[in-house]
Each structure stands twice: as structure tokens, then as C-alpha cells.
Amino acid sequence: MLSILTTLQAKGHVTAQALADECEVSLRTIYRDVDALSAAGIPIYSERGSSGGYRLLDGYRVRLNGLSSTEAEAMFLAGLTRQAADLGLGAVAASARKKLLAALPAEMRPGAMRARFHLDASAWFTEGESLSLLPLIADAVWNERPLRMRYRSKAAERERKVEPLGIVLKGGVWYLVARDGGGARTYRISRIGQLDVLDKRFEYPADFDLEAYWAGSTRRYEAGLHPNRAEIRLSPRGIAMMDAFLPPYARAGAEISPTVDAEGWRQVTLSVGSYENAALDILRFGADAEVLGPPDFRAQMAEITGALAKVYA
């Protein structure tokens, strides 16, 4: 019955069949439990017809109760304090946390009040970015308001007018996903200069899925950074060092030959970026790696190692 209440509160209008599917019970059970809720004074009413179903009286809200200890723990794990503050929602998040604490049974409050989980989403050895515009951008995302901004890309800086579709935090960096008249694009928020939130609203695309877009965009970006294939030989120690020395995308697509040569080395084929950048990755292996090809890549390695030999002669 609590599931019925929270589902109606979250979705508004829900059919009996949808409730039965979500709660994994029969239609007869839904009818019985809805009657019991109504008899208990819950303002729930039905609408007949092909588009009928159940609704709660407008304005009625279910209090948070009936939480198990594991459910409460899961809700506190979702409390990203630093990230809420970056979005301008620090006070709101703190207020919500207090309300959740008040709704918990008394025996569960001491454990919930002690900080046992902390998320530090920033990357190691990096400085914090300027995020003064992030709350404005977040508000525009929620309220579906277009933005006019000065954006500094690696190539140039120019004014853009975009429709903000979502915000992503990746490796300690905040990104804006927005539509600029064509398809969706990704903008690093710290590179946004002057920003104006426009008064008019735009229609959010019904078929846009932020998570799916980001997954596809990430795959395309990583593939674009690794357009070449290379063949290398690795010693047993080199094979063991792949996880530490190769980028995740290169590791994921690496093909390691099962054949071991007379020295115990194996041939590995993997995706790499420019040969200059790839050489820096392979040099980390020291004498435990040899580049076999393509010829241009092997020549690049020979040039670098030859120069190093002169330095250390």
C-alpha cells in the first residue's frame, strides 16, 4: 500500500494494471488495497474510461515513513553534498537531509547522522575549476530556458545560443549538454564566459535521453582520440603493467596473443592516439616493451630512444 501511495504521488495518474505490474501483484489485490487506503482516509479516487486510473487529491503528500535501514542508507549515499553546493542547492540539500532524518525511526537516526560515506569526485592532482555560472546554468536546465553565452573552445572564442538539455559531472569536471540548432553538443562549463539566461522557454525534446547521449558521446570521443592501431611486444612484467600504464580505452580494446615467444614475451595489438603521444605511453614500460609497427610508430620510438641514449651516454 505504501508503494501504491508513493507511485501515485510520483506519477500523478496511474492505471490499476500499471500499479499491479509495478507492485508485482494481481489486479484484485490492487482493487482491495486501494479500497483499504480509501477507507483509512487517504484521498485517493478513480477515473473511469479507456484512460482511467487512480489519482491522489491534488496537494496531498505521503510522509516518508516505512523506510528500512538499507533504504535509508541508500538515500544518504545519494546525498552529494559538495556537488549540491556547486549547483547552488547546498541549503536545500541540507534541509532535505534534516527532513529525512526526522522521518526515520528513532533507533536509525544515530547511525544516519554520522558521516560514513564521502564522495570526492575530483581527479587527483587537479585544481578546482571556476563554477560561478553553474547555478545559473542548472536553473536554466530545470526551467527549459535558452542560454546566450561566450564559449572558449581550444580553437577560438565565440558567442553561442543554446538550449540546455542537461548537466554531467565527469571526473571532477562539469559539462553542459545543449542543443545549438542542430544536434546535442557538449560544453565544458569552466570555459563559458559571459552568460545570459533568456526569458523565453524552449520545448525539451521528448526523445532525448541524457544518460544514453553521454554514453554514446564518450565512446565517440575516446574512439576519436585513438584512431591508430599499433603492434607491440610485452614481457611478462609488461603484460602485468598494462593496467597501470595504458589508458582505459586502449586496455579495453587490446588484443593479447596467446602465443608466447622463446623469451616469454607476447604480442599485443591496441588502439593508440598520435604516435607521439603513444610513444610516451609505451616509454613508461621501459625495456619491457618493443614497438613492432606500424613502421612510422617504430621509427618514432627509435628517434626518441636514440635521443635519450645520447643524453645518458
Side-chain angles (χ1 to χ4, degrees):
M1 285 190 282
L2 180 60
S3 294
I4 292 174
L5 284 175
T6 53
T7 300
L8 289 174
Q9 180 172 301
K11 298 183 179 180
H13 172 272
V14 185
T15 65
Q17 186 60 60
L19 287 172
D21 293 341
E22 184 155 337
C23 298
E24 297 182 347
V25 297
S26 66
L27 278 172
R28 178 174 297 186
T29 299
I30 293 296
Y31 297 147
R32 183 197 65 203
D33 288 347
V34 167
D35 288 342
L37 288 168
S38 182
I42 302 297
I44 181 173
Y45 63 94
S46 62
E47 296 176 335
R48 299 187 180 279
S50 57
S51 60
Y54 294 109
R55 285 184 180 276
L56 289 173
L57 186 67
D58 290 343
Y60 181 81
R61 288 293 179 266
V62 182
R63 290 189 60 192
L64 261 179
N65 50 25
L67 286 175
S68 68
S69 59
T70 52
E71 289 171 335
E73 289 167 6
M75 293 196 71
F76 277 100
L77 289 180
L80 311 182
T81 308
R82 170 66 183 277
Q83 288 68 38
D86 287 342
L87 289 165
L89 298 173
V92 177
S95 176
R97 186 181 179 89
K98 290 178 182 178
K99 290 179 180 178
L100 177 57
L101 279 171
L104 292 176
E107 64 273 13
M108 292 172 56
R109 292 176 192 168
M113 292 175 67
R114 290 191 291 269
R116 300 187 181 183
F117 178 82
H118 173 67
L119 174 66
D120 183 359
S122 59
W124 285 99
F125 314 116
T126 58
E127 295 182 357
E129 296 187 313
S130 174
L131 298 173
S132 59
L133 298 177
L134 182 56
L136 280 177
I137 295 171
D139 186 70
V141 170
W142 282 116
N143 294 293
E144 299 174 358
R145 296 193 180 279
L147 299 171
R148 184 185 293 113
M149 64 186 187
R150 298 283 304 177
Y151 186 74
R152 185 183 71 259
S153 66
K154 293 182 179 179
E157 179 177 338
R158 68 184 182 91
E159 184 175 286
R160 301 172 186 265
K161 183 179 177 182
V162 300
E163 297 173 345
L165 303 177
I167 295 174
V168 175
L169 175 62
K170 168 75 170 178
V173 179
W174 290 93
Y175 296 93
L176 167 67
V177 177
R179 187 171 58 180
D180 63 354
R185 297 183 61 182
T186 303
Y187 301 90
R188 188 164 176 163
I189 289 180
S190 63
R191 292 180 181 167
I192 297 176
Q194 182 180 347
L195 179 75
D196 294 313
V197 180
L198 306 184
D199 290 336
K200 63 180 181 179
R201 299 173 68 99
F202 68 92
E203 184 176 351
Y204 196 92
D207 59 347
F208 181 74
D209 184 317
L210 180 62
E211 183 176 354
Y213 163 82
W214 186 258
S217 175
T218 301
R219 287 193 297 269
R220 291 190 296 272
Y221 178 70
E222 291 179 331
L225 290 178
H226 301 80
N228 302 307
R229 296 288 283 178
E231 293 81 38
I232 63 175
R233 287 176 70 236
L234 290 177
S235 70
R237 190 171 73 161
I239 294 289
M241 292 189 293
M242 286 179 63
D243 286 346
F245 290 165
L246 290 180
Y249 183 86
R251 294 200 311 268
E255 300 173 4
I256 303 175
S257 171
T259 303
V260 180
D261 64 20
E263 298 176 335
W265 290 42
R266 293 187 180 187
Q267 185 168 327
V268 179
T269 304
L270 68 161
S271 297
V272 297
S274 68
Y275 294 142
E276 182 178 0
N277 290 336
L280 299 179
D281 288 329
I282 302 303
L283 284 170
R284 301 175 72 186
F285 288 86
D288 289 289
E290 177 192 0
V291 171
L292 301 177
D296 289 347
F297 188 18
R298 185 175 174 89
Q300 178 87 42
M301 291 294 296
E303 181 180 346
I304 295 174
T305 54
L308 286 172
K310 291 180 180 179
V311 170
Y312 291 103

